[in-house]
Amino acid sequence: MIDEGLDEYNKCELCPRKCGINRYKSIGYCRSEANVRIARAGLHFWEEPCISGEKGSGTVFFTGCNLNCVFCQNKEISKNLKGKDISINRLVEIFFELKSKGANNINIVTGDIFIPSIRLAIEDAKQKKLDIPFILNSSGYVSVDSIKSLEGLIDIYLPDFKYIRSEDSVKYSGVPDYVKVVKSVIEEMVRQQPLVVVDNKSGIMKKGVIVRHLLLPGMVIQAKMIIKYLYEKYGDRIIISLLNQYTPNGELDMYPEINRKIREAEYRSLWHYAMNQGVTQAYIQEKSAANKLFIPKFDLSGV
């Protein structure tokens, strides 16, 4: 099942942890081998409106993660590693199957640790005339070189911006350099896709960058700092997506300060701040988004 010949897996430095291990023979922090592993492929209707639209986004959920967020909403695939190993050829087939179902785009979800394989699959798909946008739906904690290797292949970048305080990135995700990394990564993404392009007729995004921030309980000040940074640096060249869908995952007894849902007043304070700053390219969520029913079932469908 393993696709041989990708040198980047021989001494893996695809993420800033730089384990340097040979993923053909062993595993590093992400606990992933060189083979592509996915947990679900199908139409997803709960992304931003310009991504999902009415037809849905063609999402491919990859297994494994190089972060270790204590509050992870998708722990079934990020920590428990549920999924199935597939070949690059099968991944290409899945792209075309999603298009045949009417997908607006191909949405690569948490595929950061498989970028060499994803790159080959997208190149092959484009050669075979797949003509819908490709989205990299990323944690943001990935090497800048990995993002550079995707230039010309990714139409829309959709990174997270989780923290702007290192003490929080250490406490909740185990990474001291998160802030520095994510700033550099987003800068490279915007360099590649400097303007948001939306089809006027369908309202579907074709190119650009959407930066997501998931508001955590009690962290409104940090969230406002992230908005301030993004808007001062990029203005309306990017879309800022403010998420209130945080749902405790049942494993937060040691972190009581975040073991609750977001209060309505917290989220309202955040989007009021964004508007007062002058942000016009933004998405906000309804309170009903904070529901486990919106977490996909990782049942290997479409794999």
Side-chain angles (χ1 to χ4, degrees):
M1 185 63 66
I2 293 179
D3 294 281
E4 301 285 354
L6 290 167
D7 290 341
E8 289 144 298
Y9 292 134
N10 287 326
K11 185 180 179 183
C12 187
E13 295 186 349
L14 293 172
C15 89
R17 294 188 188 275
K18 297 187 181 297
C19 293
I21 52 94
N22 185 339
R23 281 171 57 184
Y24 289 112
K25 299 179 180 179
S26 185
I27 57 174
Y29 189 91
C30 65
R31 296 182 293 153
S32 296
E33 299 175 340
N35 49 293
V36 170
R37 188 171 180 86
I38 67 174
R40 179 183 175 87
L43 298 179
H44 193 52
F45 296 91
W46 304 310
E47 303 283 42
E48 286 76 4
C50 66
I51 299 297
S52 287
E54 295 182 357
K55 295 181 179 180
S57 179
T59 50
V60 183
F61 288 89
F62 286 74
T63 299
C65 184
N66 61 326
L67 287 175
N68 189 26
C69 302
V70 299
F71 53 82
C72 183
Q73 316 279 283
N74 293 341
K75 60 183 179 179
E76 194 173 1
I77 58 174
S78 66
K79 296 182 180 182
N80 298 337
L81 304 180
K82 184 175 182 179
K84 178 182 177 181
D85 295 344
I86 64 169
S87 67
I88 293 176
N89 287 337
R90 175 60 189 143
L91 183 57
V92 175
E93 291 175 353
I94 288 170
F95 292 164
F96 280 93
E97 289 167 7
L98 290 170
K99 182 189 175 183
S100 72
K101 294 177 180 178
N104 293 312
N105 41 60
I106 302 298
N107 193 343
I108 306 295
V109 184
T110 60
D112 298 343
I113 57 179
F114 296 109
I115 280 178
S117 304
I118 290 167
R119 186 176 64 238
L120 288 183
I122 295 176
E123 288 173 345
D124 188 20
K126 286 181 177 286
Q127 288 175 0
K128 293 175 179 174
K129 309 303 182 184
L130 186 61
D131 59 355
I132 56 178
F134 279 91
I135 300 173
L136 186 73
N137 195 326
S138 168
S139 73
Y141 193 66
V142 61
S143 77
V144 173
D145 286 341
S146 289
I147 300 302
K148 287 181 177 179
S149 76
L150 293 170
E151 186 165 8
L153 299 176
I154 298 297
D155 302 284
I156 299 166
Y157 284 105
L158 191 55
D160 293 335
F161 197 148
K162 299 178 187 295
Y163 318 100
I164 203 166
R165 298 186 300 216
S166 295
E167 59 266 31
D168 291 324
S169 69
V170 171
K171 183 175 183 179
Y172 300 116
S173 295
V175 284
D177 59 345
Y178 178 87
V179 178
K180 178 181 178 181
V181 168
V182 75
K183 286 181 177 181
S184 297
V185 164
I186 292 173
E187 188 170 354
E188 171 60 21
M189 291 174 172
V190 176
R191 185 193 69 79
Q192 291 183 27
Q193 296 295 351
L195 294 174
V196 172
V197 178
V198 176
D199 181 81
N200 290 331
K201 185 176 181 180
S202 66
I204 297 300
M205 189 170 176
K206 300 299 182 182
K207 291 183 179 296
V209 176
I210 300 177
V211 180
R212 286 175 170 169
H213 175 68
L214 175 66
L215 179 60
L216 298 176
M219 299 194 192
V220 176
I221 292 176
Q222 173 163 244
K224 291 177 179 179
M225 291 168 64
I226 289 173
I227 290 173
K228 180 177 176 62
Y229 168 79
L230 289 172
Y231 191 63
E232 287 183 350
K233 187 168 181 64
Y234 300 111
D236 289 325
R237 290 187 292 146
I238 66 170
I239 296 174
I240 300 174
S241 184
L242 303 176
L243 308 181
N244 76 340
Q245 65 193 48
Y246 177 82
T247 305
N249 62 11
E251 298 180 355
L252 296 170
D253 290 345
M254 295 181 63
Y255 306 91
E257 72 278 10
I258 60 170
N259 195 15
R260 64 170 174 84
K261 291 186 177 182
I262 299 300
R263 298 188 180 105
E264 186 175 348
E266 290 177 310
Y267 189 62
R268 185 171 59 249
S269 174
L270 180 60
W271 60 260
H272 278 176
Y273 175 83
M275 288 191 298
N276 290 335
Q277 289 291 302
V279 177
T280 59
Q281 293 267 60
Y283 284 111
I284 61 174
Q285 285 185 317
E286 296 180 359
K287 185 178 181 180
S288 59
N291 193 313
K292 290 183 179 179
L293 295 175
F294 290 99
I295 299 174
K297 292 182 179 180
F298 301 115
D299 53 7
L300 305 184
S301 61
V303 176

